[in-house]
Amino acid sequence: MSNALAAEKSPYLLQHADNPVNWLPWSPQALQKARDEQKPIFLSIGYATCHWCHVMAHESFEDHQVAALLNEHYVPIKVDREERPDLDAIYMTACQVLSGSGGWPLTAFLTPEGKPFVAGTYFPKTPRMGKPGLIHLLAEITKRWNGPERQKMLQAGQEVAEAIQPRPGAGASMDPRSPAMAFRQLQQAYDPDHGGFGNAPKFPTPHNLSFLLRWHARNPGGPALAMVENTLERMYAGGIFDHLGLGFHRYSVDARWLVPHFEKMLYDQALLAYACLEAYQLGGKEVLARAARDIFTYVLRDMTAPQGGFYSAEDADTQGEEGLFYVWTPAEVIEICGEADGRVFNRYYGIVDGGNFEHGRSIPHVTRTLQALAQSEDIGVEQANSALDRARQKLFAARQTRPRPFKDDKVLTAWNGLMIAALSKGAAVLGDEQYLEAASKAADFVLESMTTPDGELLRRWRDGHTSGPGFLEDYAFFIWGLLELYEAGWDIDRLEAAQRLLEKCNELFWDDTGGAYFFTPRGGEKLIFRDKDFYDGATPSGNSVMALNLLKLGRITGRTQYEETAQRTIDVNSATAMRQPMAFTMMMMAVDFAQGPSKEIVITGQDGDPAIRAMLDKARRTFIPARVILLRPEGPEAERLAGLAPYTAEMTPKGGLATAYVCQGFACAAPVDDLEALAAALD
């Protein structure tokens, strides 16, 4: 037997298609059913790789006693938060208001009009760990709903709906000191021993690191760069990194990055790779270039669809146990690798008797330097490295025979935009053409298979089917990806697509009255409110990224209205951002760009001239956050570029030589035709 979710394409919804609960997907028909039957809605929001979502599903939603209560007295609705982040944002806000905390699974009781009156996260079937049991909660709410207290519950839903309505911003300009305040807050929260910010659990939050790199570029000699490098190196050495299959896990449950929550998210791979590449640009540490390459190896091997898009996530659990796929005992390693190589691997990666994780197993993590390992084994460094390489290959092959974690194979436009940006950055900084090819193929897939005939983006593709309209982050992140893709391959189609989507985004999401962008498009489904997202959380907010997109396209095209729109977007959230600027680090990056001085770099010359490539590589590999780079080709393509960036029309090669034009602070310097002069202009 299956319920209505069997007809859906979301992997999360399909995981619940065989529940005895009569789940419905969120739809106008489901809400109308609640109104017709005058039943409360039981709303459950989660995602396919969520550990506690699995626990609650096995414990309660597969239980016939729970199902009987839900089916008789409620309209049960399931939502995939990754497909419907708009619904998740609304009801997560309500959960935080009602319970003081949030997370997934998100459990909410709604009136038939969709207004929340009770909300929480995970509820065990029966009382446990200080949490009320779901059986009791369902029975109690049913009794009250069907008695004289229904009116109080309806009133509570109305009050919560009013309490979570967005409030207009004060309209003040963003304080120019806000980046300095964000830096000080990050500095105070920084963990000098293990890197990262705050205590356990520890999240990567890569845009904090990218902001710090910009702070260092503006304030060299301070601690910002070292904070970034230490954090990335500690993470790369820790258990949060998968040392066999590569890629980063979601977060660390401890302060030293040892024990991760084992799910892997596409957006973490993208944002961490991007931060590693920028840190490598600025500080030159090869270990960070290697970390970015390892991330890309994982994504291109395990997270890339044949059509070119990138999958969303891999689960933390296998066979109902978190992390089982990733952990080892010393005896297993010795059996697979042999005595000598196995001993070297165990010592280097901390695989010990008794384990550092559950059931006597160990999470691989780097415990010492390669030199210290070689000394302890009384072998050469090259011998130690070769032993580790052999062991990693054998253990990876052995691990492939284990039951694999579930892969969430839906393709999300927003997260693909982030990975396109990261791969494009990798192609530009590391000079690897396979990254450009992968980014280009993914961009083409989104433009061809996840875009409507009238040019609007769709949210999700899976198995040949697409879901509803894209949200602000889909446009913002994908435009970012297209801008980075242009600088990796100089295809003017990418610039034209970026500008076209920016105009579409303005049409669908811009608030003419209050400024900034709504999260949902104009004419979309009417919910209990239409929100604007500014908080830079696990992923940056759509408004933050759009502010940067506008600033970049403003400098590329010379359209000052784009920069004015960016400034208004920044200012709308100024009052909130000034209270806790470290929670808005992507927006602080937009503030940094807007403060300038920015550089507009145009390089031109004869096709095939190696001097052009040398100039382009110098410009791309130099860390200049507030800059745009254009390649002005000869011939008809020069006219196309001039159509986008009119000021490039007269920027021609001098004396037939490769020539760079560098403008800064609304003034252009004399063109230069040699690499040393360009380097001086970029400094």
Side-chain angles (χ1 to χ4, degrees):
M1 297 294 292
S2 59
N3 53 47
L5 301 184
E8 296 297 306
K9 283 295 179 182
S10 156
Y12 176 64
L13 299 187
L14 289 171
Q15 286 174 350
H16 295 82
D18 294 327
N19 292 168
V21 178
N22 292 332
W23 292 114
L24 296 173
W26 181 280
S27 67
Q29 293 78 13
L31 300 181
Q32 187 61 50
K33 176 179 172 65
R35 290 192 289 270
D36 291 344
E37 298 178 6
Q38 280 302 292
K39 289 180 179 178
I41 294 167
F42 178 85
L43 179 65
S44 179
I45 300 179
Y47 56 103
T49 58
C50 164
H51 171 70
W52 285 101
C53 299
H54 299 330
V55 173
M56 191 168 178
H58 296 320
E59 188 177 14
S60 294
F61 301 143
E62 295 173 5
D63 181 85
H64 287 273
Q65 184 182 6
V66 172
L69 284 169
L70 284 171
N71 294 341
E72 182 176 356
H73 302 292
Y74 297 86
V75 174
I77 296 179
K78 265 284 178 192
V79 168
D80 182 339
R81 68 172 293 263
E82 294 170 354
E83 288 198 0
R84 293 298 304 267
D86 54 336
L87 294 171
D88 180 62
I90 289 172
Y91 293 109
M92 184 59 71
T93 302
C95 180
Q96 290 165 339
V97 167
L98 287 164
S99 70
S101 63
W104 298 276
L106 173 58
T107 305
F109 294 83
L110 317 181
T111 70
E113 287 70 41
K115 297 174 180 177
F117 57 89
V118 171
T121 54
Y122 163 76
F123 290 103
K125 179 185 173 183
T126 54
R128 194 172 75 251
M129 302 182 295
K131 287 183 169 289
L134 185 60
I135 288 279
H136 173 76
L137 190 60
L138 291 170
E140 185 66 23
I141 290 176
T142 297
K143 183 177 78 172
R144 296 188 183 193
W145 182 266
N146 292 327
E149 293 187 60
R150 180 186 296 193
Q151 192 55 43
K152 290 183 179 179
M153 300 166 97
L154 292 170
Q155 181 61 31
Q158 179 64 29
E159 290 172 359
V160 171
E162 292 174 359
I164 62 177
Q165 291 294 317
R167 303 290 183 261
S173 297
M174 182 72 77
D175 192 319
R177 298 169 298 175
S178 56
M181 294 173 62
F183 168 71
R184 285 195 295 272
Q185 289 181 349
L186 288 168
Q187 190 176 26
Q188 289 167 3
Y190 176 66
D191 178 354
D193 295 322
H194 307 295
F197 305 94
N199 299 313
K202 250 184 194 170
F203 290 81
T205 321
H207 30 287
N208 286 352
L209 306 178
S210 291
F211 164 75
L212 286 172
L213 295 174
R214 283 151 180 77
W215 180 259
H216 175 85
R218 204 176 274 277
N219 302 274
L225 177 59
M227 292 163 64
V228 173
E229 290 175 337
N230 185 43
T231 297
L232 290 171
E233 289 180 68
R234 294 288 184 140
M235 289 176 58
Y236 187 43
I240 193 174
F241 184 75
D242 178 3
H243 293 276
L244 296 180
L246 312 178
F248 281 92
H249 298 295
R250 178 68 196 92
Y251 63 87
S252 176
V253 302
D254 62 290
R256 57 195 183 104
W257 308 109
L258 172 60
V259 180
H261 178 48
F262 286 90
E263 66 183 322
K264 291 180 177 179
M265 311 301 294
L266 181 67
Y267 58 78
D268 282 323
Q269 315 310 320
L271 293 168
L272 280 166
Y274 198 92
C276 286
L277 290 164
E278 288 198 323
Y280 170 64
Q281 280 182 294
L282 192 53
K285 286 198 169 185
E286 285 294 333
V287 64
L288 299 180
R290 188 166 68 247
R293 289 189 180 97
D294 281 352
I295 292 170
F296 294 147
T297 296
Y298 161 67
V299 170
L300 298 181
R301 183 192 66 221
D302 290 345
M303 300 298 287
T304 305
Q307 297 84 355
F310 302 111
Y311 299 138
S312 293
E314 288 195 299
D315 206 340
D317 297 8
T318 44
Q319 299 176 309
E321 188 172 337
E322 184 173 7
L324 185 63
F325 182 71
Y326 297 100
V327 293
W328 302 88
T329 65
E332 287 175 326
V333 172
I334 295 293
E335 181 182 356
I336 293 166
C337 301
E339 181 67 34
D341 288 356
R343 186 182 67 250
V344 170
F345 183 92
N346 286 339
R347 180 165 287 181
Y348 187 68
Y349 286 110
I351 313 300
V352 294
D353 290 327
N356 58 34
F357 189 54
E358 298 167 354
H359 310 302
R361 301 186 181 100
S362 290
I363 302 162
H365 65 292
V366 177
T367 63
R368 63 201 69 202
T369 66
L370 201 56
Q371 291 75 12
L373 173 70
Q375 186 175 4
S376 68
E377 292 292 312
D378 196 24
I379 56 177
V381 170
E382 287 301 318
Q383 287 178 281
N385 199 33
S386 297
L388 289 174
D389 281 342
R390 289 192 298 270
R392 281 191 294 258
Q393 291 173 23
K394 290 177 181 178
L395 290 168
F396 177 76
R399 201 178 75 171
Q400 293 295 88
T401 67
R402 294 177 173 180
R404 288 191 64 89
F406 171 79
K407 192 189 304 291
D408 184 338
D409 62 354
K410 66 178 180 288
V411 176
L412 296 174
T413 298
W415 299 3
N416 271 249
L418 295 177
M419 185 50 68
I420 290 165
L423 283 164
S424 300
K425 187 78 170 179
V429 173
L430 303 175
D432 194 321
E433 286 295 314
Q434 70 167 327
Y435 303 153
L436 174 60
E437 292 171 10
S440 295
K441 190 174 180 182
D444 288 339
F445 178 74
V446 172
L447 291 168
E448 294 165 8
S449 300
M450 302 181 70
T451 306
T452 67
D454 59 356
E456 295 182 11
L457 294 175
L458 299 167
R459 174 65 178 178
R460 183 267 293 153
W461 179 96
R462 181 174 182 269
D463 196 23
H465 296 263
T466 53
S467 69
F471 300 102
L472 175 61
E473 65 180 18
D474 294 297
Y475 286 80
F477 297 176
F478 188 56
I479 292 168
W480 179 13
L482 289 171
L483 291 174
E484 295 284 352
L485 186 53
Y486 169 73
E487 288 192 6
W490 312 112
D491 183 348
I492 296 175
D493 287 347
R494 307 308 186 184
L495 271 186
E496 291 176 338
Q499 185 182 27
R500 187 168 63 247
L501 285 168
L502 183 139
E503 295 288 355
K504 181 63 71 173
C505 184
N506 288 344
E507 173 191 327
L508 293 172
F509 297 92
W510 180 254
D511 180 3
D512 290 318
T513 303
Y517 293 89
F518 288 109
F519 189 77
T520 54
R522 183 174 287 109
E525 181 182 354
K526 187 173 177 57
L527 303 174
I528 60 176
F529 68 81
R530 192 178 180 206
D531 197 15
K532 294 175 186 173
D533 179 29
F534 292 97
Y535 170 64
D536 295 320
T539 58
S541 79
N543 271 292
S544 297
V545 176
M546 276 307 299
L548 278 164
N549 291 338
L550 286 158
L551 290 165
K552 290 177 183 177
L553 275 166
R555 294 304 163 91
I556 288 170
T557 64
R559 295 192 180 190
T560 57
Q561 64 265 38
Y562 288 167
E563 298 187 52
E564 291 165 1
T565 302
Q567 191 61 56
R568 196 172 177 201
T569 302
I570 292 168
D571 290 343
V572 164
N573 194 46
S574 59
T576 304
M578 285 302 297
R579 287 196 292 272
Q580 188 70 11
M582 69 174 284
F584 302 91
T585 48
M586 198 76 176
M587 188 64 80
M588 293 302 107
M589 290 161 61
V591 173
D592 179 78
F593 194 115
Q595 287 178 349
S598 67
K599 292 182 188 291
E600 296 83 49
I601 304 160
V602 180
I603 295 173
T604 184
Q606 302 297 323
D607 289 345
D609 185 349
I612 293 180
R613 179 59 183 260
M615 284 186 167
L616 290 172
D617 286 346
K618 180 63 181 176
R620 291 187 301 189
R621 294 175 186 180
T622 303
F623 184 74
I624 310 171
R627 62 103 173 106
V628 295
I629 308 174
L630 297 172
L631 171 63
R632 182 191 180 277
E634 290 291 277
E637 291 294 288
E639 295 180 16
R640 283 184 68 196
L641 182 65
L644 283 167
Y647 59 86
T648 65
E650 304 304 320
M651 293 180 170
T652 56
K654 299 303 178 184
L657 300 173
T659 305
Y661 294 79
V662 180
C663 304
Q664 176 175 309
F666 307 102
C668 294
V672 297
D673 57 12
D674 69 84
L675 208 55
E676 287 187 10
L678 174 60
L682 296 178
D683 186 1

